[in-house]
Amino acid sequence: MRPTRILATAVVIALAVTATACSETKHKGSDDNNGNNASESSGPKKKGGTVTIANTAGQTWTCNFNPFNPAVYNTSIGFVYEPLIFVNALKDQAETPMLAKSYKWNADKTRIDFTIRSGVKWNDGKPFTAKDVAFTFNLMKKTPSTDLYALWTTAGLQSVTTSGTDKVTLKFKEAAQPYFYAFAHQVAIVPEHVFGAGEAAKKPDTWVDRKPVGTGPFEVNPCTPNNIQYTANPDYWQQGKPYIQKVQYPAYLDNGPANLDLANGKAQWGSQFIPGIKQFYLDKSSDNHTWSPPVLNVGIYPNLDPSHKDSSNLKVRQAISYAIDREKVAKIGVGGQVPAANQSGVVMPTFEKYYDAAAVKKAGFDKPDPARAKKLLAGLGHSPSKPLKLKILSITGYTDWDASLKVIKQDLKAVGIDLTVQTLAQQTYVGRLYTGDYDLAYYTQQSSGPTPYYELRQSLHSANTAPLGKNAVSNWERYKNPDVDKLLNEYASADESRQVEIVKAVAQHMIDDVPVIPVVEAVDWFQYNTKDIGGWPTEDNPYAQPAAYNFPDTGQVLTHLYSKSAQ
């Protein structure tokens, strides 16, 4: 598994933005309040069946399901713990009311009132109430290390209170709509009677939550170092769900056994890169399928600090971008399983309405242009016979990145850049990236969202960077542009049409300044078997991000799946 999130609070809060500009209780295109996608009309299913997940974690399970612990929360949130509202990043931000059945903003977006769903129980039988919601958010204020999305600091959350039996009100210092995705979609609500007592109350961030008490569709029963078994919550609030009654999640130490289990049908749900996927997996059975929607970019992060005179030179960055044949990188480096990226940084086709193809073409970035790259480098005194020497960092063991960088190295050599690839252990790599101890780095941001704003703000807002030697939570390239900051800051109060304009304007700065060089698009790796299991998310019905490591999307997938043999 390549994790989708490396949690640093300021990183995530910089991304935690939803583009919805309405104050209605349900967003356009919203799913119904039982978590069913509106386009799925096959009706209720009989209960039964088991789903096995093959997703390499690289270690055995710790059997800790604390939703405040970033190391383990993707095996707890969605499965056991749930948010207030589910926001679909793949379906134009369609919303599914979860523990909150509705919400309403005030006029200036500094206050939001949630109406909490009644009749919900924790899986230990105790009633879920509005007080549990308020407790969860106030716990984050009391213990800042649990405030994973910096709601009480960066987002300006000032108070969370209850009124009546089903109302919870969040008040903010300033317009807070940009943080909706974080506090409504990503925060998992926990029970006060568990986290407000005993060891959990003393150290809620480090407490080992071995038997999680949640409202979600599954319970942990049992967990061992080699396997997590989830069993259906018999009192789940979505009537008749989940259909699947058991989920097995073996601990895989490397991709080989996991990929083999997927190929032979022993596992039905995969979420990783499979080399030669057609021959190894798809051709093994007509029941084996794959669909991996693009959500982020993988690219080159140049160090823009003036002390790095080559990578901070715009002409060098332009030359690199012109020289790379992105389609060839996608085909050879990742076996054609991901799309090529583009210099605007807008992921296609996921965010098509934000993409300005004409702007990319006008700048000459619509196709490789090695002649233009050579000319730029020649002006700097470099050529294939007198190359500019640059180093790029990558992570040891990322074989698709290794293959991609071989193609990039060849493309750059042809125009006059001698690229040395240096692979490092992930922890060492991240340390150098965060502190700015590099010239070029091959990487991807670690969180996606329902619009391109997420990734662009994470990559480009100056508030996310730091001086060399200090940890930058994102914007590792040290990009600073007041005009870009102004645009990104305006996004919070803009209506939906203006938000699209803002993204296009920020993307134009990506084209003009080349602060990051997107190469290929990062996807939600997803393989699925339909021999006995139906209800999977597909390109035609993208009701959730499909990778098993995405939360809370796993909860959406698991409440849609059903066993054909049980019908």
Side-chain angles (χ1 to χ4, degrees):
M1 177 180 75
R2 186 161 299 162
T4 56
R5 298 173 176 90
I6 293 177
L7 244 297
T9 52
V11 174
V12 177
I13 199 63
L15 289 177
V17 181
T18 182
T20 176
C22 65
S23 60
E24 302 299 324
T25 58
K26 296 180 74 177
H27 187 276
K28 64 178 184 180
S30 65
D31 296 350
D32 68 44
N33 62 11
N34 286 322
N36 293 317
N37 186 273
S39 66
E40 185 174 290
S41 56
S42 54
K45 306 294 182 183
K46 294 179 182 179
K47 295 183 177 184
T50 297
V51 169
T52 298
I53 300 172
N55 178 218
T56 305
Q59 62 183 29
T60 56
W61 299 121
T62 62
C63 294
N64 180 7
F65 299 90
N66 189 329
F68 297 118
N69 185 336
V72 299
Y73 58 11
N74 61 353
T75 55
S76 64
I77 301 175
F79 292 92
V80 180
Y81 293 103
E82 295 183 305
L84 295 173
I85 305 287
F86 172 73
V87 180
N88 189 349
L90 300 181
K91 197 180 173 187
D92 197 23
Q93 305 165 81
E95 295 176 5
T96 299
M98 296 297 290
L99 295 180
K101 63 182 182 181
S102 63
Y103 66 86
K104 187 174 181 63
W105 287 100
N106 67 348
D108 63 3
K109 304 297 192 299
T110 59
R111 167 178 170 157
I112 187 168
D113 297 305
F114 286 100
T115 300
I116 304 305
R117 191 178 297 280
S118 60
V120 178
K121 292 182 180 180
W122 297 102
N123 62 29
D124 63 358
K126 296 187 178 181
F128 160 79
T129 70
K131 290 183 178 180
D132 291 305
V133 178
F135 168 81
T136 299
F137 285 100
N138 286 312
L139 176 62
M140 297 175 191
K141 179 180 182 180
K142 181 180 178 182
T143 308
S145 55
T146 64
D147 187 8
L148 300 177
Y149 307 101
L151 298 175
W152 290 96
T153 53
T154 305
L157 182 59
Q158 292 190 312
S159 68
V160 181
T161 57
T162 62
S163 59
T165 58
D166 64 351
K167 293 292 189 295
V168 174
T169 298
L170 279 67
K171 293 183 179 179
F172 295 83
K173 183 178 180 180
E174 298 174 339
Q177 189 182 350
Y179 307 105
F180 180 88
Y181 188 76
F183 64 73
H185 170 85
Q186 290 185 297
V187 169
I189 305 303
V190 300
E192 182 176 10
H193 67 274
V194 174
F195 278 84
E199 289 299 313
K202 293 178 183 177
K203 297 181 178 180
D205 54 343
T206 59
W207 176 60
V208 179
D209 186 6
R210 297 195 184 278
K211 187 68 174 175
V213 176
T215 60
F218 286 87
E219 303 174 30
V220 175
N221 182 30
C223 175
T224 69
N226 295 320
N227 185 63
I228 304 171
Q229 178 173 282
Y230 301 90
T231 56
N233 178 355
D235 296 318
Y236 188 47
W237 59 270
Q238 291 193 42
Q239 188 174 2
K241 292 192 173 187
Y243 309 131
I244 292 294
Q245 293 299 286
K246 191 176 292 184
V247 178
Q248 303 288 0
Y249 204 156
Y252 294 95
L253 301 183
D254 58 67
N255 281 3
N259 290 346
L260 189 61
D261 283 353
L262 286 168
N264 62 27
K266 184 178 178 180
Q268 297 79 42
W269 187 358
S271 299
Q272 58 213 17
F273 173 63
I274 299 179
I277 190 170
K278 185 179 186 301
Q279 182 178 4
F280 183 87
Y281 175 72
L282 296 175
D283 289 349
K284 291 290 175 61
S285 170
S286 60
D287 296 315
N288 289 345
H289 307 273
T290 186
W291 168 60
S292 298
V295 291
L296 288 166
N297 291 287
V298 183
I300 296 172
Y301 287 78
N303 194 322
L304 303 184
D305 189 89
S307 63
H308 293 252
K309 63 182 183 68
D310 294 322
S311 58
S312 65
N313 188 316
L314 175 59
K315 291 182 179 180
V316 171
R317 302 195 303 276
Q318 289 173 327
I320 293 172
S321 188
Y322 285 127
I324 296 173
D325 187 337
R326 292 170 169 86
E327 295 287 350
K328 186 168 66 173
V329 176
K331 181 178 180 180
I332 297 175
V334 204
Q337 294 186 53
V338 303
N342 65 83
Q343 186 53 52
S344 78
V346 175
V347 172
M348 290 287 290
T350 306
F351 301 128
E352 187 171 4
K353 74 177 182 181
Y354 299 90
Y355 181 58
D356 190 342
V360 174
K361 184 175 183 178
K362 182 179 179 181
F365 286 122
D366 56 320
K367 59 184 180 299
D369 193 343
R372 194 167 183 173
K374 280 185 178 181
K375 184 176 181 180
L376 286 166
L377 291 168
L380 299 173
H382 300 292
S383 66
S385 61
K386 188 182 178 182
L388 170 64
K389 295 182 181 296
L390 289 172
K391 293 181 179 180
I392 188 167
L393 301 185
S394 184
I395 298 175
T396 301
Y398 283 17
T399 55
D400 51 331
W401 288 12
D402 293 341
S404 297
L405 285 166
K406 285 182 181 179
V407 178
I408 293 170
K409 181 179 174 71
Q410 292 173 351
D411 287 346
L412 296 187
K413 181 180 180 181
V415 301
I417 295 176
D418 182 5
L419 187 68
T420 298
V421 179
Q422 185 178 5
T423 59
L424 303 171
Q426 185 172 31
Q427 187 172 357
T428 304
Y429 172 95
V430 168
R432 289 185 59 177
L433 181 74
Y434 285 12
T435 59
D437 183 15
Y438 72 96
D439 287 323
L440 304 172
Y442 199 66
Y443 204 49
T444 181
Q445 297 288 356
Q446 297 300 300
S447 264
S448 60
T451 79
Y453 174 89
Y454 283 65
E455 186 178 6
L456 291 171
R457 176 167 180 142
Q458 187 179 18
S459 296
L460 304 180
H461 201 294
S462 65
N464 299 332
T465 196
L468 291 186
K470 302 290 185 181
N471 278 330
V473 294
S474 62
N475 189 347
W476 304 297
E477 73 277 12
R478 272 69 185 173
Y479 178 68
K480 297 179 181 179
N481 186 326
D483 292 336
V484 171
D485 288 350
K486 184 178 179 180
L487 285 165
L488 294 171
N489 291 341
E490 182 191 348
Y491 190 93
S493 57
D495 61 24
E496 188 170 350
S497 62
R498 175 57 182 157
Q499 287 174 338
V500 173
E501 292 175 356
I502 289 170
V503 169
K504 288 183 176 180
V506 173
Q508 185 65 53
H509 285 281
M510 279 283 291
I511 295 168
D512 295 339
D513 300 343
V514 196
V516 178
I517 303 166
V519 178
V520 296
E521 293 180 351
V523 300
D524 273 353
W525 294 114
F526 177 45
Q527 303 86 30
Y528 61 103
N529 183 284
T530 56
K531 182 177 181 180
D532 184 56
I533 306 301
W536 298 105
T538 64
E539 186 172 5
D540 293 331
N541 185 16
Y543 62 78
Q545 288 186 239
Y549 47 72
N550 275 325
F551 66 87
D553 300 68
T554 45
Q556 299 297 309
V557 175
L558 289 169
T559 51
H560 281 73
L561 298 184
Y562 63 92
S563 168
K564 297 176 182 178
S565 60
Q567 305 313 302

